[in-house]
């Protein structure tokens, strides 16, 4: 394989956060060609002295100022024509963060960094190319993984502040999975996971419901959730 | 990034099959340095005109003669020192196949191709380096995914012939997950999935139990299986 044929390797990140009642994805506006001024997932080329996960964390920090997320590998995309400059293999990560915690600051190759509501963006990408490269497709794939993880794995804590009400938790689920849950059913399911604990905080005027926290943040399988889906 | 610093990209495959009452993994014995004559997972460098999945399928076919497996991406490994020749990023695949169907034939970079019982191999890798490169670690990761997939997803059909008894199915589960199931419980769980159908074959002398087939091979979540684990 000659130098021209050796693919370059990149890491890209789909970061989700629950903000203003909706699931949002973090995008950056590209400063340079190709796709100059298009919005894209944060990411960039792997440096010689870092792993792919380190590259994903570094690019996210440099381009958006976001750090300390829940992060896991999503998939590696290797279609031949995904970058007009030549072959680039992209290892993509899924990251989840409490949207109230982060302060965006665009940097390096990014002209802007912004949260975008996920649902309208996905609807747009079904009609036309919206994001740079194959990021429309990667975003759709990441959203599937997000829904799957919420439904079957103990990961919702990463999208929430330390304490929350069951209604707030339910709204995260509705936004992440893309369908409504009947509140009493959801309450029964969520408490059946065995990972929530009452926080001990006393509800205040504007927050009359009981306040919970995740007592267990291990990546357990949430059997109750799976069972609910079956019978739904 | 100079040419020397540009990582090369490879695809490797962990292929599992149920054979002689045990879960087996497919290994090849390396013909060349590094790790000459060591056993390794089948795999090799990505060619310029193929995707990673195509590379995984091609290397598997060239080195072992195995084709037409269930295959999915497992993870991409990028530790800096995983190949003594220089940096190689490996995108690894999990493949499942009916062990009775394939005929091994080593080729290209492989001196031999053989099935190896998984459990004793994994125990060996805990004590010392057995496989080439970081393949001990990749194998352990692949085995975790195999167990997870069997427990939660409708994928066992890929490890079985067209028809089988519930005892045969249970033995695949026991070998893949690494623990025993009480036969009557397993029967209730497996029939509860809603994807098995009686084959219509009449049991013959040596096979007195009812014979089943997978009527549905879609990647459904097996809620019954998850519930069983909870209460176990």
């Amino acid at each position: 394989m000659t130098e021209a044929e050796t693919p370059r390797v990149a890491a890209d990140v789909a970061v989700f956060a629950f903000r203003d009642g909706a699931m949002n994805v973090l995008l950056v506006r590209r400063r340079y060609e190709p796709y100059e001024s298009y919005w894209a997932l944060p990411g960039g080329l792997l440096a010689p002295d870092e792993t792919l996960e380190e590259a994903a964390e570094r690019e996210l920090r440099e381009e958006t100022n976001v750090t300390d997320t829940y992060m896991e590998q999503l998939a590696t995309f290797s279609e031949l024509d995904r970058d007009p400059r030549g072959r680039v293999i992209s290892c993509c990560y899924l990251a989840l963060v409490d949207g109230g915690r982060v302060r965006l600051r665009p940097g390096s190759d990014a002209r802007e960094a912004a949260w975008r509501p996920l649902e309208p963006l996905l609807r747009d990408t079904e009609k036309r190319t919206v994001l740079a490269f194959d990021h429309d497709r990667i975003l759709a794939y990441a959203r599937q993984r997000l829904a799957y993880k919420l439904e079957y794995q103990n990961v919702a804590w990463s999208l929430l502040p330390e304490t929350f009400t069951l209604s707030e938790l339910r709204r995260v689920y509705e936004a992440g999975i893309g369908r409504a849950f009947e509140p009493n059913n959801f309450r029964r399911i969520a408490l059946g996971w065995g990972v929530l604990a009452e926080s001990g905080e006393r509800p205040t005027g504007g927050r009359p419901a009981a306040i919970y926290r995740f007592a267990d943040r291990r990546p357990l399988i949430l059997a109750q959730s799976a069972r609910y889906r079956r019978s739904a």
Side-chain angles (χ1 to χ4, degrees), chain A:
Chain A
M1 203 182 279
T2 68
E3 184 180 13
E5 289 167 337
T6 303
R8 289 184 296 173
V9 177
D12 294 304
V13 194
V15 188
F16 295 114
F18 184 72
R19 292 167 53 86
D20 305 326
M23 194 58 67
N24 280 244
V25 61
L26 179 56
L27 298 180
V28 294
R29 196 145 162 259
R30 290 177 56 80
R31 189 183 293 278
Y32 304 111
E33 290 288 351
Y35 293 100
E36 189 255 318
S37 87
Y38 273 66
W39 292 90
L41 300 176
L45 290 177
L46 179 68
D49 59 346
E50 64 187 2
T51 63
L52 284 163
E53 182 152 27
E54 289 165 350
E57 289 172 353
R58 175 184 54 73
E59 288 285 347
L60 184 59
R61 185 180 66 246
E62 289 177 0
E63 293 191 344
T64 71
N65 192 42
V66 171
T67 58
D68 299 318
T69 66
Y70 168 90
M71 192 181 278
E72 66 173 36
Q73 214 182 80
L74 189 63
T76 299
F77 293 81
S78 64
E79 279 64 32
L80 302 183
D81 58 354
R82 53 180 304 284
D83 191 316
R85 291 166 294 188
R87 190 143 193 215
V88 180
I89 310 285
S90 173
C91 182
C92 295
Y93 287 81
L94 170 72
L96 307 177
V97 70
D98 168 16
R101 185 175 65 71
V102 298
R103 295 290 167 269
L104 300 185
R105 190 176 63 226
S108 72
D109 304 341
R111 184 175 284 177
E112 295 176 65
W115 293 108
R116 285 298 176 86
L118 183 59
E119 291 295 340
L121 176 60
L122 285 171
R123 280 196 296 275
D124 275 0
T125 64
E126 282 169 17
K127 288 179 228 144
R128 59 187 179 88
T129 300
V130 178
L131 303 179
F133 308 109
D134 55 355
H135 290 192
D136 286 342
R137 186 187 156 212
I138 295 172
L139 178 63
Y141 190 95
R143 193 276 159 72
Q144 279 194 315
R145 176 77 69 93
L146 168 68
Y148 180 90
K149 288 199 80 71
L150 281 175
E151 195 140 26
Y152 298 109
Q153 195 176 313
N154 182 26
V155 76
W157 54 265
S158 59
L159 292 160
L160 283 154
E162 187 64 32
T163 61
F164 47 85
T165 66
L166 284 180
S167 294
E168 286 164 345
L169 178 62
R170 176 171 52 82
R171 283 194 287 271
V172 166
Y173 265 75
E174 291 178 335
I177 295 175
R179 67 178 181 83
F181 287 84
E182 195 282 311
N184 286 325
N185 264 347
F186 182 82
R187 178 188 181 81
R188 181 180 54 78
I189 294 162
L191 294 177
W193 295 335
V195 298
L196 296 176
E198 290 205 48
S199 70
E201 286 179 38
R202 303 217 351 235
T204 54
R207 220 183 183 193
I211 297 173
Y212 288 87
R213 63 182 178 82
F214 278 88
D216 191 336
R217 298 185 169 202
R218 287 176 300 167
L220 306 168
I221 298 298
L222 303 176
Q224 292 284 333
S225 176
R227 184 162 60 196
Y228 178 70
R229 190 190 193 190
R230 261 277 151 132
S231 60

